[in-house]
Amino acid sequence: MLKGKNAVITGASRGIGRAIALKFAENGANVAILYNGSKDKAEKVAQEAAAFGVKAKAYACNVALADACKETVSEIIKDFDGIDILVNNAGITRDKLALQMDENDFDAVIATNLKGAFHMIQCCYRNFMKKKYGKIINISSVSGIMGNAGQANYSASKAGIIGLTKTIAKELAGRHVCCNAIAPGFIETDMTESFKENEELLHMIPLKRMGKAEEVAALAVFLADDVSDYITGEVIRIDGGLAM
Ligand code: NAI
């Protein structure tokens, strides 16, 4: 389905990013696996991806740093001969009630979740304009749609992702570049480890279970594929009905 396409996935050493990288590879895409600290894990994901017969390489890239994004993207463009798909997945939480949240907690989350996506899009912008084709997928969250007590920083970053997505969709539509956002609810990953046994939380979800990273990855494949060429500027919830 994605045969011969070159995809870049940020924060892909584990969780949802890892699942997306592997699902893309399974569908024939070459994958650039970006990681922040976990070199070994990222190399392992690259090995697993390469087993599908595609090109796969891990790159260290802290998306909060504009220069790191610039260097990494130009390296990837050289190595892969262009980028067709960009997935902005890297994200962190620093949860606290707004009253107790210090400026560093706020800035760190905005820098990775929102500015990180902006940096990566900006670095890939010319590549997409030149190609007159592209798929940008930004990972938002239902917290960005509904708000969530204790997540002023995170919700603001994820709501910002939605504004960024719609703006880029409008800017690049003339070049046949689609830009969409995925808004997951509770997905089983390291980020949500502490929620797993929380009965109260599961009760709030109409489908009564947490989602799986592979389910988010399947949606990312759909948005990366040509079948969704007429969808842009959209935010798709994958949350078991939580934000309905
Ligand atoms: P995770 O914590 O397992 O993975 C996040 C990845 O981002 C890690 O590989 C981490 O190293 C990377 N990362 C963090 N800071 C980075 C930086 N500055 N530069 C580059 N990479 C960085 O989390 P998970 O659950 O896989 O989350 C992936 C995305 O999905 C995040 O954007 C998260 O906000 C979003 N999301 C997750 C939900 C969930 O329930 N797990 C729900 C809604 C959204």
Side-chain angles (χ1 to χ4, degrees):
M1 242 184 354
L2 304 178
K3 201 164 168 41
K5 298 275 165 65
N6 299 328
V8 177
I9 305 107
T10 68
S13 62
R14 68 181 204 190
I16 293 171
R18 172 182 178 274
I20 291 174
L22 293 179
K23 192 67 91 185
F24 276 10
E26 191 184 339
N27 280 275
N30 303 311
V31 285
I33 289 142
L34 273 53
Y35 64 94
N36 190 19
S38 343
K39 185 168 196 264
D40 292 351
K41 280 189 185 173
E43 301 278 6
K44 188 153 181 286
V45 178
Q47 268 177 21
E48 287 175 73
F52 290 108
V54 300
K55 179 170 175 165
K57 193 173 166 189
Y59 299 82
C61 180
N62 177 351
V63 296
L65 306 174
D67 286 348
C69 294
K70 220 174 180 175
E71 276 167 35
T72 308
V73 168
S74 52
E75 215 180 313
I76 294 169
I77 288 174
K78 259 191 243 144
D79 290 351
F80 285 74
D81 196 24
I83 295 167
D84 303 292
I85 304 159
L86 167 65
V87 182
N88 286 306
N89 164 79
I92 56 168
T93 52
R94 294 269 191 286
D95 296 356
K96 264 175 206 152
L97 290 178
L99 187 64
Q100 284 134 13
M101 188 176 285
D102 68 32
E103 203 178 337
N104 290 336
D105 291 329
F106 192 86
D107 289 349
V109 170
I110 297 292
T112 294
N113 298 11
L114 181 55
K115 273 179 82 179
F118 170 70
H119 292 149
M120 287 300 295
I121 289 170
Q122 200 174 43
C123 294
C124 296
Y125 205 102
R126 281 204 177 83
N127 159 89
F128 285 129
M129 295 230 304
K130 231 164 80 187
K131 274 202 171 253
K132 297 196 176 66
Y133 172 85
K135 299 280 195 174
I136 302 171
I137 301 165
N138 298 320
I139 308 296
S140 176
S141 164
V142 291
S143 294
I145 298 172
M146 304 193 293
N148 195 20
Q151 291 197 312
N153 49 3
Y154 185 80
S155 303
S157 74
K158 295 300 187 180
I161 282 283
I162 294 173
L164 176 66
T165 298
K166 293 181 180 181
T167 297
I168 298 302
K170 286 185 176 174
E171 287 188 14
L172 287 175
R175 300 278 174 156
H176 312 289
V177 177
C178 296
C179 182
N180 293 290
I182 293 177
F186 290 101
I187 309 298
E188 286 174 14
T189 67
D190 292 343
M191 190 180 263
T192 52
E193 185 61 33
S194 57
F195 299 126
K196 257 186 186 161
E197 308 297 326
N198 190 330
E199 289 294 327
E200 211 176 302
L201 183 139
L202 292 181
H203 189 71
M204 279 160 42
I205 305 169
L207 287 180
K208 301 285 179 250
R209 67 169 176 91
M210 289 175 74
K212 295 185 190 319
E214 291 70 25
E215 293 175 306
V216 180
L219 176 55
V221 168
F222 169 72
L223 288 174
D225 189 80
D226 295 348
V227 291
S228 62
D229 271 356
Y230 203 53
I231 302 176
T232 196
E234 187 55 274
V235 183
I236 304 184
R237 286 188 297 110
I238 175 159
D239 65 351
L242 178 65
M244 209 168 8

mmCIF file of all heavy atoms in Angstrom, residues 15-46:
data_model
loop_
_atom_site.group_PDB
_atom_site.id
_atom_site.type_symbol
_atom_site.label_atom_id
_atom_site.label_comp_id
_atom_site.label_asym_id
_atom_site.label_seq_id
_atom_site.Cartn_x
_atom_site.Cartn_y
_atom_site.Cartn_z
ATOM 1 N N GLY A 15 6.232 2.752 21.880
ATOM 2 C CA GLY A 15 4.838 3.188 21.902
ATOM 3 C C GLY A 15 4.199 3.334 20.536
ATOM 4 O O GLY A 15 4.422 2.535 19.619
ATOM 5 N N ILE A 16 3.421 4.397 20.388
ATOM 6 C CA ILE A 16 2.653 4.625 19.160
ATOM 7 C C ILE A 16 3.587 4.857 17.967
ATOM 8 O O ILE A 16 3.351 4.341 16.869
ATOM 9 C CB ILE A 16 1.685 5.825 19.367
ATOM 10 C CG1 ILE A 16 0.603 5.451 20.401
ATOM 11 C CG2 ILE A 16 1.039 6.242 18.046
ATOM 12 C CD1 ILE A 16 -0.285 6.609 20.845
ATOM 13 N N GLY A 17 4.667 5.607 18.197
ATOM 14 C CA GLY A 17 5.617 5.884 17.103
ATOM 15 C C GLY A 17 6.231 4.612 16.555
ATOM 16 O O GLY A 17 6.358 4.430 15.343
ATOM 17 N N ARG A 18 6.611 3.720 17.462
ATOM 18 C CA ARG A 18 7.196 2.429 17.058
ATOM 19 C C ARG A 18 6.166 1.635 16.243
ATOM 20 O O ARG A 18 6.493 1.079 15.185
ATOM 21 C CB ARG A 18 7.604 1.648 18.308
ATOM 22 C CG ARG A 18 8.043 0.230 18.029
ATOM 23 C CD ARG A 18 8.403 -0.523 19.324
ATOM 24 N NE ARG A 18 8.776 -1.896 19.018
ATOM 25 C CZ ARG A 18 7.905 -2.880 18.896
ATOM 26 N NH1 ARG A 18 6.612 -2.664 19.072
ATOM 27 N NH2 ARG A 18 8.319 -4.102 18.605
ATOM 28 N N ALA A 19 4.931 1.601 16.746
ATOM 29 C CA ALA A 19 3.879 0.830 16.060
ATOM 30 C C ALA A 19 3.642 1.394 14.656
ATOM 31 O O ALA A 19 3.451 0.630 13.694
ATOM 32 C CB ALA A 19 2.590 0.863 16.882
ATOM 33 N N ILE A 20 3.676 2.719 14.531
ATOM 34 C CA ILE A 20 3.465 3.347 13.216
ATOM 35 C C ILE A 20 4.624 2.987 12.282
ATOM 36 O O ILE A 20 4.403 2.599 11.124
ATOM 37 C CB ILE A 20 3.302 4.880 13.346
ATOM 38 C CG1 ILE A 20 1.977 5.224 14.056
ATOM 39 C CG2 ILE A 20 3.353 5.554 11.961
ATOM 40 C CD1 ILE A 20 1.773 6.700 14.366
ATOM 41 N N ALA A 21 5.858 3.078 12.788
ATOM 42 C CA ALA A 21 7.027 2.762 11.951
ATOM 43 C C ALA A 21 6.941 1.326 11.433
ATOM 44 O O ALA A 21 7.170 1.064 10.243
ATOM 45 C CB ALA A 21 8.306 2.970 12.753
ATOM 46 N N LEU A 22 6.573 0.408 12.324
ATOM 47 C CA LEU A 22 6.525 -1.007 11.910
ATOM 48 C C LEU A 22 5.363 -1.276 10.951
ATOM 49 O O LEU A 22 5.502 -2.016 9.975
ATOM 50 C CB LEU A 22 6.438 -1.916 13.142
ATOM 51 C CG LEU A 22 7.686 -1.908 14.037
ATOM 52 C CD1 LEU A 22 7.509 -2.817 15.245
ATOM 53 C CD2 LEU A 22 8.932 -2.326 13.239
ATOM 54 N N LYS A 23 4.236 -0.651 11.207
ATOM 55 C CA LYS A 23 3.064 -0.852 10.315
ATOM 56 C C LYS A 23 3.347 -0.243 8.935
ATOM 57 O O LYS A 23 2.955 -0.795 7.913
ATOM 58 C CB LYS A 23 1.831 -0.229 10.972
ATOM 59 C CG LYS A 23 0.499 -0.569 10.346
ATOM 60 C CD LYS A 23 0.091 -2.014 10.474
ATOM 61 C CE LYS A 23 -0.741 -2.290 11.715
ATOM 62 N NZ LYS A 23 -1.034 -3.712 11.889
ATOM 63 N N PHE A 24 4.012 0.898 8.913
ATOM 64 C CA PHE A 24 4.390 1.501 7.625
ATOM 65 C C PHE A 24 5.326 0.550 6.865
ATOM 66 O O PHE A 24 5.159 0.313 5.675
ATOM 67 C CB PHE A 24 5.114 2.839 7.849
ATOM 68 C CG PHE A 24 4.200 4.029 8.051
ATOM 69 C CD1 PHE A 24 2.833 3.878 8.232
ATOM 70 C CD2 PHE A 24 4.711 5.330 8.054
ATOM 71 C CE1 PHE A 24 2.000 4.982 8.418
ATOM 72 C CE2 PHE A 24 3.892 6.435 8.233
ATOM 73 C CZ PHE A 24 2.546 6.260 8.420
ATOM 74 N N ALA A 25 6.328 0.021 7.583
ATOM 75 C CA ALA A 25 7.295 -0.889 6.952
ATOM 76 C C ALA A 25 6.580 -2.133 6.424
ATOM 77 O O ALA A 25 6.851 -2.588 5.304
ATOM 78 C CB ALA A 25 8.374 -1.270 7.957
ATOM 79 N N GLU A 26 5.663 -2.639 7.226
ATOM 80 C CA GLU A 26 4.895 -3.828 6.806
ATOM 81 C C GLU A 26 4.131 -3.542 5.511
ATOM 82 O O GLU A 26 3.934 -4.419 4.677
ATOM 83 C CB GLU A 26 3.915 -4.184 7.939
ATOM 84 C CG GLU A 26 3.245 -5.531 7.784
ATOM 85 C CD GLU A 26 2.214 -5.790 8.887
ATOM 86 O OE1 GLU A 26 2.290 -5.144 9.964
ATOM 87 O OE2 GLU A 26 1.338 -6.627 8.654
ATOM 88 N N ASN A 27 3.735 -2.273 5.354
ATOM 89 C CA ASN A 27 2.994 -1.873 4.144
ATOM 90 C C ASN A 27 3.909 -1.377 3.030
ATOM 91 O O ASN A 27 3.452 -0.778 2.063
ATOM 92 C CB ASN A 27 1.955 -0.814 4.499
ATOM 93 C CG ASN A 27 0.715 -1.434 5.114
ATOM 94 O OD1 ASN A 27 -0.183 -1.873 4.401
ATOM 95 N ND2 ASN A 27 0.679 -1.510 6.427
ATOM 96 N N GLY A 28 5.212 -1.566 3.192
ATOM 97 C CA GLY A 28 6.146 -1.307 2.095
ATOM 98 C C GLY A 28 6.867 0.021 2.115
ATOM 99 O O GLY A 28 7.657 0.315 1.206
ATOM 100 N N ALA A 29 6.633 0.850 3.151
ATOM 101 C CA ALA A 29 7.318 2.153 3.195
ATOM 102 C C ALA A 29 8.729 2.008 3.783
ATOM 103 O O ALA A 29 8.958 1.208 4.691
ATOM 104 C CB ALA A 29 6.518 3.135 4.048
ATOM 105 N N ASN A 30 9.657 2.791 3.243
ATOM 106 C CA ASN A 30 10.971 2.938 3.871
ATOM 107 C C ASN A 30 10.780 3.871 5.069
ATOM 108 O O ASN A 30 10.014 4.830 4.972
ATOM 109 C CB ASN A 30 11.966 3.562 2.891
ATOM 110 C CG ASN A 30 12.067 2.744 1.624
ATOM 111 O OD1 ASN A 30 12.234 1.530 1.678
ATOM 112 N ND2 ASN A 30 11.950 3.403 0.469
ATOM 113 N N VAL A 31 11.469 3.587 6.161
ATOM 114 C CA VAL A 31 11.194 4.385 7.358
ATOM 115 C C VAL A 31 12.448 4.984 8.005
ATOM 116 O O VAL A 31 13.443 4.289 8.225
ATOM 117 C CB VAL A 31 10.409 3.572 8.427
ATOM 118 C CG1 VAL A 31 8.951 3.417 8.036
ATOM 119 C CG2 VAL A 31 11.014 2.199 8.681
ATOM 120 N N ALA A 32 12.358 6.273 8.312
ATOM 121 C CA ALA A 32 13.381 6.950 9.114
ATOM 122 C C ALA A 32 12.821 7.039 10.527
ATOM 123 O O ALA A 32 11.765 7.649 10.746
ATOM 124 C CB ALA A 32 13.659 8.338 8.553
ATOM 125 N N ILE A 33 13.519 6.378 11.445
ATOM 126 C CA ILE A 33 13.030 6.258 12.822
ATOM 127 C C ILE A 33 13.769 7.272 13.687
ATOM 128 O O ILE A 33 14.963 7.119 13.965
ATOM 129 C CB ILE A 33 13.260 4.814 13.311
ATOM 130 C CG1 ILE A 33 12.283 3.899 12.559
ATOM 131 C CG2 ILE A 33 13.075 4.663 14.814
ATOM 132 C CD1 ILE A 33 12.841 2.593 12.197
ATOM 133 N N LEU A 34 13.069 8.324 14.099
ATOM 134 C CA LEU A 34 13.710 9.373 14.895
ATOM 135 C C LEU A 34 13.513 9.083 16.380
ATOM 136 O O LEU A 34 12.418 8.683 16.792
ATOM 137 C CB LEU A 34 13.141 10.751 14.533
ATOM 138 C CG LEU A 34 13.839 11.451 13.357
ATOM 139 C CD1 LEU A 34 13.898 10.565 12.130
ATOM 140 C CD2 LEU A 34 13.161 12.759 13.036
ATOM 141 N N TYR A 35 14.580 9.284 17.153
ATOM 142 C CA TYR A 35 14.491 9.034 18.586
ATOM 143 C C TYR A 35 15.203 10.148 19.324
ATOM 144 O O TYR A 35 16.046 10.854 18.759
ATOM 145 C CB TYR A 35 15.116 7.674 18.941
ATOM 146 C CG TYR A 35 16.605 7.601 18.668
ATOM 147 C CD1 TYR A 35 17.539 7.885 19.676
ATOM 148 C CD2 TYR A 35 17.079 7.276 17.409
ATOM 149 C CE1 TYR A 35 18.902 7.824 19.433
ATOM 150 C CE2 TYR A 35 18.448 7.218 17.149
ATOM 151 C CZ TYR A 35 19.353 7.497 18.161
ATOM 152 O OH TYR A 35 20.694 7.456 17.910
ATOM 153 N N ASN A 36 14.863 10.281 20.598
ATOM 154 C CA ASN A 36 15.515 11.310 21.392
ATOM 155 C C ASN A 36 16.674 10.729 22.171
ATOM 156 O O ASN A 36 17.829 11.041 21.899
ATOM 157 C CB ASN A 36 14.490 11.970 22.324
ATOM 158 C CG ASN A 36 15.045 13.201 23.001
ATOM 159 O OD1 ASN A 36 16.025 13.768 22.542
ATOM 160 N ND2 ASN A 36 14.433 13.614 24.086
ATOM 161 N N GLY A 37 16.407 9.799 23.109
ATOM 162 C CA GLY A 37 17.491 9.257 23.920
ATOM 163 C C GLY A 37 17.805 7.796 23.659
ATOM 164 O O GLY A 37 18.951 7.374 23.771
ATOM 165 N N SER A 38 16.787 7.031 23.294
ATOM 166 C CA SER A 38 16.925 5.566 23.310
ATOM 167 C C SER A 38 17.472 4.999 22.009
ATOM 168 O O SER A 38 16.727 4.411 21.213
ATOM 169 C CB SER A 38 15.571 4.937 23.624
ATOM 170 O OG SER A 38 14.692 5.860 24.178
ATOM 171 N N LYS A 39 18.790 5.125 21.843
ATOM 172 C CA LYS A 39 19.445 4.663 20.611
ATOM 173 C C LYS A 39 19.209 3.162 20.385
ATOM 174 O O LYS A 39 18.816 2.750 19.284
ATOM 175 C CB LYS A 39 20.941 4.957 20.705
ATOM 176 C CG LYS A 39 21.711 4.628 19.450
ATOM 177 C CD LYS A 39 23.114 5.205 19.509
ATOM 178 C CE LYS A 39 23.753 5.223 18.153
ATOM 179 N NZ LYS A 39 24.596 4.156 17.820
ATOM 180 N N ASP A 40 19.446 2.361 21.431
ATOM 181 C CA ASP A 40 19.343 0.902 21.281
ATOM 182 C C ASP A 40 17.954 0.481 20.844
ATOM 183 O O ASP A 40 17.778 -0.346 19.954
ATOM 184 C CB ASP A 40 19.696 0.197 22.604
ATOM 185 C CG ASP A 40 21.173 0.363 22.930
ATOM 186 O OD1 ASP A 40 21.919 0.870 22.060
ATOM 187 O OD2 ASP A 40 21.572 0.007 24.051
ATOM 188 N N LYS A 41 16.966 1.074 21.506
ATOM 189 C CA LYS A 41 15.570 0.730 21.166
ATOM 190 C C LYS A 41 15.258 1.119 19.726
ATOM 191 O O LYS A 41 14.605 0.385 18.990
ATOM 192 C CB LYS A 41 14.605 1.444 22.105
ATOM 193 C CG LYS A 41 14.444 0.781 23.445
ATOM 194 C CD LYS A 41 13.310 1.448 24.180
ATOM 195 C CE LYS A 41 13.161 0.918 25.588
ATOM 196 N NZ LYS A 41 12.176 1.671 26.351
ATOM 197 N N ALA A 42 15.719 2.320 19.339
ATOM 198 C CA ALA A 42 15.448 2.805 17.975
ATOM 199 C C ALA A 42 16.128 1.913 16.929
ATOM 200 O O ALA A 42 15.525 1.584 15.902
ATOM 201 C CB ALA A 42 15.913 4.245 17.838
ATOM 202 N N GLU A 43 17.368 1.504 17.233
ATOM 203 C CA GLU A 43 18.088 0.618 16.300
ATOM 204 C C GLU A 43 17.326 -0.702 16.152
ATOM 205 O O GLU A 43 17.274 -1.292 15.076
ATOM 206 C CB GLU A 43 19.512 0.317 16.811
ATOM 207 C CG GLU A 43 20.391 1.538 17.018
ATOM 208 C CD GLU A 43 21.046 2.045 15.740
ATOM 209 O OE1 GLU A 43 20.733 1.509 14.667
ATOM 210 O OE2 GLU A 43 21.862 2.988 15.834
ATOM 211 N N LYS A 44 16.743 -1.155 17.259
ATOM 212 C CA LYS A 44 15.998 -2.423 17.236
ATOM 213 C C LYS A 44 14.738 -2.269 16.364
ATOM 214 O O LYS A 44 14.410 -3.167 15.587
ATOM 215 C CB LYS A 44 15.634 -2.831 18.668
ATOM 216 C CG LYS A 44 15.049 -4.202 18.736
ATOM 217 C CD LYS A 44 15.282 -4.879 20.084
ATOM 218 C CE LYS A 44 14.688 -6.277 20.065
ATOM 219 N NZ LYS A 44 13.214 -6.288 20.129
ATOM 220 N N VAL A 45 14.069 -1.117 16.509
ATOM 221 C CA VAL A 45 12.880 -0.870 15.665
ATOM 222 C C VAL A 45 13.301 -0.854 14.196
ATOM 223 O O VAL A 45 12.623 -1.423 13.335
ATOM 224 C CB VAL A 45 12.184 0.464 16.053
ATOM 225 C CG1 VAL A 45 10.995 0.740 15.136
ATOM 226 C CG2 VAL A 45 11.726 0.444 17.505
ATOM 227 N N ALA A 46 14.449 -0.225 13.917
ATOM 228 C CA ALA A 46 14.938 -0.167 12.529
ATOM 229 C C ALA A 46 15.202 -1.581 11.999
ATOM 230 O O ALA A 46 14.838 -1.898 10.858
ATOM 231 C CB ALA A 46 16.205 0.686 12.450
#
